[in-house]
Amino acid sequence: MSLDTNSKAKAGSGWGETAKIIVQALAIAMVVRVFFFQPFNIPSGSMKSTLLIGDYLFVSKLAYGYSRFSFPFSPNLFSGRIFGGEPKRGDVAVFRLPQDESLDYIKRVVGLPGDQVQMREGVLYINGQAVPKVYKDEFANIECDPYFRHCRRVVYKRYEETLPDGGPTYTVLDLEPEGEFDTTEVFTVPAGQYFMMGDNRDNSSDSRASVGFVPFENLIGRAEIIFFSAAIDEPDAMRWFSPWTWPFDIRWSRFFNLVR
């Protein structure tokens, strides 16, 4: 009888320790997510070919400090930012859309406060100086409409841009030689705000149009690294009911790529 009692006590102790470990692990994961790194996924092609639909990445909240948008449900506890570090020109940043603060967007920081930004015939100008744009290659992509199951092969011209003042070099896509936003007015970026653009220049809703300038407070963090990627926008990826095909839909080569 005593042996059975001891066995039950040990079993109960074991389950208690397991539950304690699980609770501690969840608490640590929550702290990391809220204060340090938050996972995001890419739902649209506005940042191709830097980021693809189906990429999952970690965003550093430490990079820009904290605003109310840094926390779940965006509690209106304070205004502005604390421990704020200003973004650099060329950062790929996640932010809350000024017109709808329930939506997260991801774009590249192109214009800093006080900059003048303009597009002229597909060339980016910052403070009156053309940003070097060099043809690199063609970027072919299968693009699908998941609702109508219609897919087509789209070929872009891919260029390398290098931002001024020691900024990064990255790739941009050009689909139409005279796209809707290839030539714009001159935008003067107000104090405390930023001008954001997608790398897929003919298929990006950004500061050239509906997004407008993005306040510093709306920034959530800087995209750092891709930790998972699946080709959910390609025709072979429309196989949700055949799990044995899923390993072939994973883009293994994109794992742990730094976002630049």
Side-chain angles (χ1 to χ4, degrees):
M1 189 73 173
S2 60
L3 291 176
D4 289 341
T5 302
N6 289 337
S7 298
K8 290 179 180 179
K10 290 180 179 179
S13 176
W15 281 110
E17 287 298 318
T18 300
K20 182 179 178 181
I21 291 171
I22 291 174
V23 170
Q24 289 175 341
L26 291 174
I28 292 171
M30 180 61 69
V31 169
V32 170
R33 184 187 184 281
V34 171
F35 292 101
F36 298 100
F37 293 95
Q38 183 171 343
F40 285 89
N41 74 291
I42 304 300
S44 75
S46 68
M47 283 296 293
K48 289 180 180 178
S49 61
T50 305
L51 298 172
L52 304 179
I53 298 173
D55 282 349
Y56 288 75
L57 47 90
F58 284 121
V59 169
S60 170
K61 292 186 174 181
L62 290 172
Y64 307 139
Y66 306 98
S67 73
R68 64 188 179 94
F69 298 112
S70 303
F71 304 104
F73 310 111
S74 304
N76 196 15
L77 301 177
F78 61 94
S79 61
R81 303 192 77 88
I82 56 175
F83 310 116
E86 295 183 1
K88 297 178 181 178
R89 190 184 286 116
D91 283 359
V92 177
V94 173
F95 59 93
R96 286 292 173 85
L97 185 65
Q99 294 82 4
D100 184 348
E101 294 178 346
S102 67
L103 297 178
D104 294 325
Y105 270 39
I106 183 166
K107 306 290 179 186
R108 191 177 297 277
V109 179
V110 170
L112 304 179
D115 281 347
Q116 290 188 327
V117 182
Q118 184 183 25
M119 292 291 293
R120 300 183 201 168
E121 299 180 344
V123 176
L124 173 63
Y125 283 75
I126 298 178
N127 298 324
Q129 299 296 317
V131 171
K133 181 179 179 181
V134 179
Y135 177 77
K136 182 180 179 183
D137 56 18
E138 289 187 342
F139 174 78
N141 193 230
I142 303 297
E143 300 185 355
C144 300
D145 185 322
Y147 299 101
F148 299 100
R149 298 183 64 84
H150 171 73
C151 299
R152 63 192 181 104
R153 185 174 184 268
V154 180
V155 178
Y156 299 83
K157 289 184 178 180
R158 181 158 51 180
Y159 297 84
E160 285 188 340
E161 283 186 350
T162 302
L163 291 174
D165 303 324
T169 297
Y170 54 91
T171 58
V172 297
L173 300 183
D174 189 3
L175 182 61
E176 304 174 24
E178 298 179 4
E180 182 179 1
F181 300 110
D182 278 355
T183 298
T184 69
E185 62 181 290
V186 176
F187 299 93
T188 300
V189 186
Q193 303 198 47
Y194 295 86
F195 194 92
M196 319 293 286
M197 289 179 63
D199 291 349
N200 188 355
R201 291 288 166 76
D202 292 323
N203 187 22
S204 175
S205 176
D206 52 39
S207 292
R208 295 172 292 174
S210 58
V211 171
F213 302 115
V214 176
F216 188 28
E217 183 181 29
N218 286 52
L219 298 180
I220 294 174
R222 183 178 64 212
E224 297 287 353
I225 190 170
I226 298 169
F227 67 87
F228 180 79
S229 183
I232 62 173
D233 64 329
E234 298 179 3
D236 290 342
M238 295 182 180
R239 301 181 290 187
W240 301 108
F241 300 106
S242 51
W244 56 89
T245 66
W246 293 352
F248 302 100
D249 298 330
I250 296 175
R251 302 187 187 106
W252 300 99
S253 64
R254 295 185 66 78
F255 281 35
F256 309 117
N257 286 355
L258 298 178
V259 179
R260 293 288 183 262

